[in-house]
Every structure is written in structure tokens, then in C-alpha cells.
Amino acid sequence: MPIKLAAAVAILMVDAAAGSVDTGSGPGKLVIYDGTQPANADTPVTTQNALVTFELADPAFGGGVDGVTGAVATGNAVTPVPAEATGTATWFRVTDSDDNPVMDGDVTDTNGSGALKVSSTAIIEDIDVSIVSMNITQPKA
């Protein structure tokens, strides 16, 4: 039988993850990549190409709230930035301001259900990319 968390515990977990982004001397960073997402956020980026880099708000996320299936912390607004390269966005990595990895996730366009939704997954160098929504979710069951 899987572990089933109390809502308060799930909220503590998303708040801890969100708070990790804000450690260091400044705001965290979010980089969108092409290629295959590594096994976890501790796995170094190898053949994947960085397509666009965002400086996150400080704090990067609002406080966790109890959602239907789990706790959710919603990302604060981020200014659109021009892409560094052309490619298809498939995954992202968030680091703190000292470049320590915090989390990875999937990228989708506005019609998808990924952890990070962007204006388009077809990234074109020098064209602005917008983050539509970014969430950290911790299931309760």
C-alpha cells in the first residue's frame, strides 16, 4: 500500500522544494533544454542543449496550498526572454542562485499538462519565450 500524506505534510514538502530555489545570494534560474531528461536533477546535463535561460522571481514560488490531488506551489511571474538556441523544448532544470540543482521537470505548450507550460515548445533563437505556468506538485496519495 502506498504512503498517503496528510495535506499539511504535502504542503510542507512543496514549500521546502520552493524554498530551496531561493537559497543562495540571489534569484534561482530555470533552463529549458532539448533532448532526453536525465534520470534526476543530480544527473549532469550532457548532450542536451540549453535553449533558453530565465532568472526566476525571488521568491520563485508562492506558498503551497492544498489541491485536489496534492499540494501545489505556483511559480511567480517571470519576464519573457529571447532564446539562446533553436530546438524543441522537452524538459527543464531549476537551480538556486549558486547553480545547485533543485528540480527537473517536463515542458509542454499551453495545451499540455507539464510541470512547466511555455508559449511554444518550438523554440527559435532570439525569439522571446514566455512561461505560462510553473508548478511544484506533491501528491497526497
Side-chain angles (χ1 to χ4, degrees):
M1 174 176 272
I3 293 174
K4 296 180 181 182
L5 301 173
V9 173
I11 290 169
L12 286 170
M13 292 173 79
V14 296
D15 284 345
S20 294
V21 179
D22 299 325
T23 61
S25 58
K29 183 170 54 174
L30 182 147
V31 181
I32 296 175
Y33 293 92
D34 65 4
T36 303
Q37 181 178 342
N40 58 57
D42 290 321
T43 304
V45 175
T46 56
T47 60
Q48 303 89 340
N49 298 303
L51 302 176
V52 59
T53 302
F54 294 90
E55 182 176 283
L56 297 173
D58 196 2
F61 291 86
V65 297
D66 187 19
V68 174
T69 60
V72 179
T74 300
N76 290 321
V78 177
T79 303
V81 296
E84 304 153 20
T86 298
T88 301
T90 55
W91 68 281
F92 70 91
R93 175 163 290 169
V94 172
T95 63
D96 65 17
S97 62
D98 296 326
D99 291 324
N100 297 306
V102 176
M103 69 187 85
D104 289 355
D106 59 336
V107 176
T108 61
D109 63 15
T110 57
N111 298 316
S113 60
L116 177 69
K117 290 184 183 183
V118 294
S119 49
S120 173
T121 56
I123 307 295
I124 301 170
E125 186 175 0
D126 296 327
I127 302 296
D128 278 359
V129 178
S130 298
I131 293 177
V132 175
S133 67
M134 176 175 56
N135 297 313
I136 302 171
T137 303
Q138 172 60 54
K140 291 187 273 189

